[in-house]
């Protein structure tokens, strides 16, 4: 079948099935072949790869992935799209469509069933309403994933890449940089989608690290400290950490840990890089020993 990557073919398919776009599922379908090529190139997919696509929509990106990969498993939440995918992916025997929510999908089981337990590659034009939960789930769950190539809002891409002292720097930057090496693969304007989103987008490529770049005694504590620091961004770090309901430390313990980590008493969280947060989390852990 002719590829879907143009507005006419997309309209033809959605009209044939009487499909209406659902905002609640973040449905903005790609209609530009160059962008689809860029995603597949950035993901460096080969016939050796098993790719999980999050949210195939009508199968536009799936067709490109299926041509490049050995196997594609496409996870789609909207049941209205399942019969459409049956038609648009009929020529691709290496594609399996699963009708389910990606946040409830067991990727370790998928890696086992379709890739002999080897790491998966993730590719997606992500639904923007749950971009951060999806990315955080994939990073934190320690599922067997080697790379993620994802279309996100441009602003989310900037947050992933941001460093200390910038307005975009925050918990997402630190989490992404702890688990992965991110780079911006392409900027994508709204006219590459149907319907057009209000914001610009970016294709981000994340290579997951085998080892984190810093070592801490308690990873969960590190991320609780990071979230507390940015949850109250305008406060000093000492106040933000003392006030955080998720942390058990007294004012004195926080002051002692800051001093031990070599940080000024009035420092703000946004000034700390990942090694500084790691050092602080290590000193805080020692306070309760
Ligand atoms: N991949 C298609 C494309 O590029 O044209 C569609 C991308 S569209 C931005 C996002 C897709 O994710 C939609 O098909 C939507 O129904 C699906 N989706 C939304 N939430 C989901 C979830 N929790 N699990 C799986 N798919 C989801």
């Amino acid at each position: 079948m002719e590829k879907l990557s143009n507005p006419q073919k997309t309209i033809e398919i959605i009209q044939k099935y009487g499909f209406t776009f659902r905002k609640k599922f973040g449905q903005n379908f790609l209609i530009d072949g160059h962008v689809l090529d860029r995603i597949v190139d950035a993901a460096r997919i080969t016939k050796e790869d098993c790719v999980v696509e999050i949210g195939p929509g009508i199968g536009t990106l799936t067709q490109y992935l299926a041509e490049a990969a050995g196997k594609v498993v496409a996870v789609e939440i909207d049941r209205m799209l399942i019969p459409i995918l049956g038609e648009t992916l009929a020529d691709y025997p290496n594609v399996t469509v699963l009708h389910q929510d990606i946040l409830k999908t067991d990727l370790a089981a998928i890696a086992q069933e379709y890739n002999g337990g080897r790491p998966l590659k993730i590719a997606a034009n992500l639904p923007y309403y749950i971009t951060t939960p999806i990315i955080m789930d994939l990073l934190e769950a320690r599922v067997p994933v080697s790379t993620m190539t994802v279309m996100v809002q441009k602003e989310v891409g900037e947050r992933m890449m941001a460093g200390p002292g910038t307005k975009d720097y925050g918990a997402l930057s630190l989490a992404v940089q702890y688990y992965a090496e991110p780079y911006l693969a392409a900027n994508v304007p709204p006219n590459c989608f149907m319907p057009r989103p209000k914001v610009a987008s970016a294709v981000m490529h994340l290579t997951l690290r085998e080892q984190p770049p810093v070592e801490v005694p308690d990873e969960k504590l590190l991320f609780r400290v990071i979230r507390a620091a940015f949850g109250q961004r305008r406060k000093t770090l000492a106040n933000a950490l003392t006030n955080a309901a998720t942390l058990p430390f007294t004012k004195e313990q926080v002051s002692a840990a800051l001093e031990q980590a070599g940080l000024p008493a009035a420092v703000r969280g946004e000034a700390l890089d990942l090694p500084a947060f790691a050092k602080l989390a290590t000193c805080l852990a020692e306070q309760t020993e």
Side-chain angles (χ1 to χ4, degrees), residues 25-30 53-58 60-61 75-78 81 100-103 125-127 129-130:
F25 287 141
Q27 291 172 337
N28 299 94
F29 297 165
L30 275 164
E53 186 191 2
I54 302 166
I58 56 170
T60 313
L61 174 59
V75 181
E76 174 56 60
I77 199 170
D78 186 351
L81 290 167
Q100 58 196 58
D101 181 344
I102 191 67
L103 294 176
N125 168 18
L126 285 175
Y129 76 109
I130 46 165

Side-chain angles (χ1 to χ4, degrees), residues 152-210:
V152 296
Q153 284 185 36
K154 185 165 178 275
E155 180 244 318
V156 174
E158 284 163 354
R159 280 166 46 206
M160 288 182 182
M161 305 275 290
T166 61
K167 73 168 176 29
D168 296 320
Y169 187 55
L172 181 70
S173 327
L174 284 153
V176 166
Q177 294 165 30
Y178 180 82
Y179 290 109
E181 289 176 73
Y183 85 82
L184 169 69
N187 281 307
V188 181
N191 62 6
C192 296
F193 302 86
M194 182 185 295
R196 289 183 188 197
K198 290 198 179 71
V199 292
S201 303
V203 178
M204 300 299 299
H205 179 80
L206 275 60
T207 307
L208 273 75
R209 300 179 191 275
E210 292 194 355

